[in-house]
Amino acid sequence: MPTRVLVPSGVLGLGFDRKALARGVAMKPDIIAIDGGSTDSGPYSLGAGESKYSRAATKAEWRELMQARAEAGVPLVIGTSGTCGADATVDWMYQITLELAEELGQSLKIARLYCGQPADRVIAALEAGRVTPLSAAPEISADLLASMTNIVALAGAEQVLAALATGADVVIAGRTTDTAIIAALPLSRGDLAGGAWHGAKIAECGALCSTHPMTGTILVDFDATGFTVEPMALEAACTPHSVSAHMLYENSDPFQLYEPGGYLDVRGARYTALDDRRVRVEGSKWVPGPYTVKLEGARAAGYQTTILAVLRDPRYVDLAQDWVDGLTAHCVEAIAGRTGMGPDDYSLEFRLIGVNSALGAMEKRVGQPVEVGVLGIITATSQAKATEIGKLINPFVLHHPLTPNEELPTFAFPYSPATTNRGALYEFALNHVMRLDDPMEAFRLEVTEVSHARG
Amino acid sequence: MRVGEIAKKVRSKNAGPFWVTVDIFCGSAQAYDRLVKGLSTAAVAQVYSQPEQLLKRFDIADLNVIKVSFPRPVVQGSRDDRDMHGAQWAHLLAELEIDG
């Protein structure tokens, strides 16, 4: 059965064109699906179990989508709620939804799909040989798993469908694959599986697959032989090039995409312009395989304090690396002498902004900067240690001389205190898949009904 | 000439926390042919100080795109990472001089 999916934008919190959304709603979609996250901003969100986007921005956009849902009379699904899709951010999104239901006077059935994994479950799976590393995966052990602050499994179409099958008006999902929330309904209605996953991949970043990425809203029609994609902003167009080029985006392999239960192969896909705004895609293939779900996990790898100084003195700018080498040696000695702390307790690194701070040793160009920012990063085994080291080296970063016999220089500190305590440094610690017998065995559904209908 | 002068655009981005991918949008079949012939995978590996066998390369004539993916030498967001999104890595390749 043909299925029409409306994707308001690539992620909740980044904005969308209101007219495009309204146009999409008028096209009578069968479902509205939006992504709520990504690993793209780094490990902090998953490590801390916090959304990266502001609550106010999220609530303002979710309000519009809840209104669009009421108008369209179809389910609204958000995947990877609160950036990382941890249980805590599902709860955060659920609270926002409850507030909005009351403010908008909506009566709703809300399904929450929890994707958080207790460490014990993953440890048991690891010991049973049911956890497999993907390419470039870090080493793991039971101890490492137990030290992770959050582990999530990426839900696929099966878990999203289970949530939809509750009859929910709104599905708030934890970590899902970017595509699952879009592919789920077409798959359940018997549309071509290759087309469902491929169309979902094309639409998951909203209008990024069109000529006007910032307009957000995309409509995809799925059917038995493929899919058709159309941007909802009138000024935007999908072209065979804009659509097929999207398979390159943030994808290590542009032809194969692994999902729970198989992979998508788009080598045989044909992209055809139906007119100057719509593209038809056929020939994508779904290849079923073992049922595995990808795992993501984060752990605190240390605690950080940073310090920033700016060199403007031309002699120091020219000799910035020599200066930093001397400063580092001086700091290490002073830290050892005054606190007894050594390499097991902390690391200290200075990065030269204006020289090679973005690319480090890979940098090949040498320039003549007017000034150089010196970013000192202390990573220690506790925040108390990092803070203490920051205070200890503060005067050296301010006054360290290039040679012992010159008047003490004073560099530019942009703020007071010069140090910033950053808290935990989280790191991504899993790039593995876990084998499941039943897709729901590692996931949990909660269904709630709220009633605020205005009489 | 430099890769970035022949191609229309060179883009890099994380492909998940453990991989980075570089897309060279050549912009024309002519530029694509020139870069497919002139830019060796070994040269790309050298730019990023990576062993060549770790690189996955896709020459996509339909799009006039050359795509190269490899495991991030430092995991996204870990202590030694300097570029959370891996988006500045593109410039190293864009600035590479090639023959022809």
Side-chain angles (χ1 to χ4, degrees):
Chain A
M1 191 192 317
T3 309
R4 177 165 278 187
V5 181
L6 181 65
V7 181
S9 80
V11 67
L12 188 74
L14 214 56
F16 42 78
D17 176 336
R18 290 204 174 114
K19 279 188 200 151
L21 178 66
R23 195 159 169 267
V25 171
M27 300 284 279
K28 300 195 179 308
D30 296 300
I31 189 168
I32 304 173
I34 189 162
D35 192 11
S38 147
T39 57
D40 214 35
S41 323
Y44 180 81
S45 175
L46 182 62
E50 276 177 29
S51 168
K52 148 197 171 184
Y53 290 108
S54 96
R55 194 177 198 277
T58 302
K59 188 171 176 181
E61 288 186 23
W62 194 232
R63 174 191 297 272
E64 293 191 45
L65 296 186
M66 282 179 61
Q67 287 170 315
R69 180 214 64 82
E71 193 183 329
V74 297
L76 168 65
V77 182
I78 181 164
T80 314
S81 298
T83 312
C84 62
D87 291 355
T89 54
V90 170
D91 290 338
W92 179 81
M93 198 66 213
Y94 177 60
Q95 282 306 321
I96 291 172
T97 307
L98 291 180
E99 288 170 23
L100 285 169
E102 188 172 357
E103 289 167 26
L104 296 169
Q106 292 187 358
S107 293
L108 296 172
K109 186 185 257 196
I110 305 168
R112 283 166 281 160
L113 173 65
Y114 288 99
C115 305
Q117 302 300 313
D120 288 349
R121 179 187 291 152
V122 184
I123 291 168
L126 178 70
E127 283 164 359
R130 291 164 73 83
V131 174
T132 313
L134 297 171
S135 178
E139 288 290 323
I140 58 167
S141 64
D143 285 348
L144 270 175
L145 286 164
S147 74
M148 294 182 195
T149 51
N150 275 302
I151 302 173
V152 291
L154 278 69
E158 292 77 10
Q159 297 83 0
V160 173
L161 270 179
L164 286 170
T166 64
D169 302 298
V170 176
V171 173
I172 300 170
R175 188 66 168 117
T176 60
T177 69
D178 294 343
T179 41
I181 52 167
I182 301 170
L185 191 64
L187 285 169
S188 75
R189 288 156 52 120
D191 297 333
L192 184 74
W197 288 110
H198 191 185
K201 175 64 193 168
I202 294 303
E204 57 110 348
C205 286
L208 218 55
C209 63
S210 78
T211 53
H212 287 64
M214 294 309 287
T215 57
T217 314
I218 284 285
L219 190 78
V220 192
D221 281 325
F222 297 93
D223 55 47
T225 56
F227 68 95
T228 302
V229 55
E230 177 183 0
M232 287 296 96
L234 291 172
E235 68 270 30
C238 281
T239 67
H241 187 274
S242 76
V243 171
S244 59
H246 187 65
M247 287 305 290
L248 301 167
Y249 191 68
E250 293 179 352
N251 224 1
S252 63
D253 185 327
F255 299 115
Q256 270 190 30
L257 186 69
Y258 282 85
E259 294 284 344
Y263 69 89
L264 167 71
D265 184 341
V266 305
R267 275 179 194 81
R270 297 175 305 278
Y271 304 79
T272 317
L274 289 186
D275 50 38
D276 55 8
R277 305 188 63 254
R278 294 183 303 153
V279 171
R280 174 77 187 162
V281 183
E282 297 187 350
S284 346
K285 226 170 77 182
W286 172 252
V287 184
Y291 200 87
T292 60
V293 286
K294 192 176 170 190
L295 299 172
E296 289 171 353
R299 60 188 289 272
Y303 298 81
Q304 291 191 320
T305 293
T306 58
I307 186 164
L308 178 63
V310 182
L311 314 181
R312 176 60 180 82
D313 180 325
R315 188 165 146 256
Y316 281 79
V317 167
D318 282 350
L319 298 169
Q321 188 59 55
D322 292 345
W323 179 74
V324 151
D325 291 345
L327 171 66
T328 306
H330 185 72
C331 289
V332 167
E333 198 185 318
I335 294 163
R338 295 178 192 180
T339 71
M341 284 193 263
D344 289 345
D345 303 295
Y346 78 97
S347 66
L348 170 64
E349 186 192 9
F350 291 101
R351 295 183 188 170
L352 297 179
I353 300 170
V355 178
N356 62 0
S357 69
L359 297 166
M362 290 190 298
E363 182 58 75
K364 292 183 176 58
R365 282 183 66 182
V366 179
Q368 285 227 301
V370 171
E371 59 180 22
V372 172
V374 179
L375 174 63
I377 304 175
I378 300 149
T379 309
T381 50
S382 72
Q383 185 62 59
K385 286 182 187 175
T387 304
E388 180 67 8
I389 292 169
K391 287 181 176 174
L392 199 154
I393 69 170
N394 183 329
F396 308 140
V397 177
L398 184 62
H399 293 305
H400 185 70
L402 263 171
T403 58
N405 301 321
E406 61 189 271
E407 191 184 333
L408 285 189
T410 301
F411 304 107
F413 274 172
Y415 34 67
S416 167
T419 52
T420 305
N421 296 327
R422 296 194 64 252
L425 167 76
Y426 291 102
E427 66 180 14
F428 286 117
L430 275 172
N431 189 28
H432 295 70
V433 292
M434 182 167 70
R435 182 81 187 257
L436 300 180
D437 294 325
D438 170 357
M440 283 309 287
E441 75 185 54
F443 299 87
R444 183 164 61 87
L445 272 176
E446 297 280 349
V447 182
T448 319
E449 294 197 46
V450 294
S451 182
H452 297 292
R454 288 173 183 149
Chain B
M1 252 176 118
R2 291 174 168 178
V3 170
E5 291 166 338
I6 302 168
K8 197 170 143 198
K9 187 183 176 177
V10 183
R11 169 180 84 182
S12 66
K13 205 79 194 282
N14 295 337
F18 299 90
W19 283 73
V20 67
T21 188
V22 189
D23 299 328
I24 305 170
F25 293 89
C26 302
S28 70
Q30 191 193 5
Y32 174 78
D33 285 342
R34 202 168 152 191
L35 283 166
V36 164
K37 288 191 192 100
L39 179 65
S40 70
T41 309
V44 179
Q46 203 182 1
V47 164
Y48 295 110
S49 311
Q50 293 304 300
E52 188 183 342
Q53 65 270 22
L54 289 183
L55 273 64
K56 289 200 285 183
R57 173 171 172 157
F58 304 90
D59 293 344
I60 310 166
D62 289 349
L63 293 171
N64 293 321
V65 163
I66 300 168
K67 184 180 185 70
V68 181
S69 305
F70 50 94
R72 260 176 157 270
V74 289
V75 175
Q76 180 200 9
S78 62
R79 189 192 63 185
D80 297 331
D81 188 22
R82 290 165 173 259
D83 179 4
M84 191 63 57
H85 299 82
Q88 295 303 308
W89 295 36
H91 301 291
L92 283 173
L93 192 56
E95 289 166 8
L96 176 71
E97 287 277 352
I98 62 164
D99 298 331

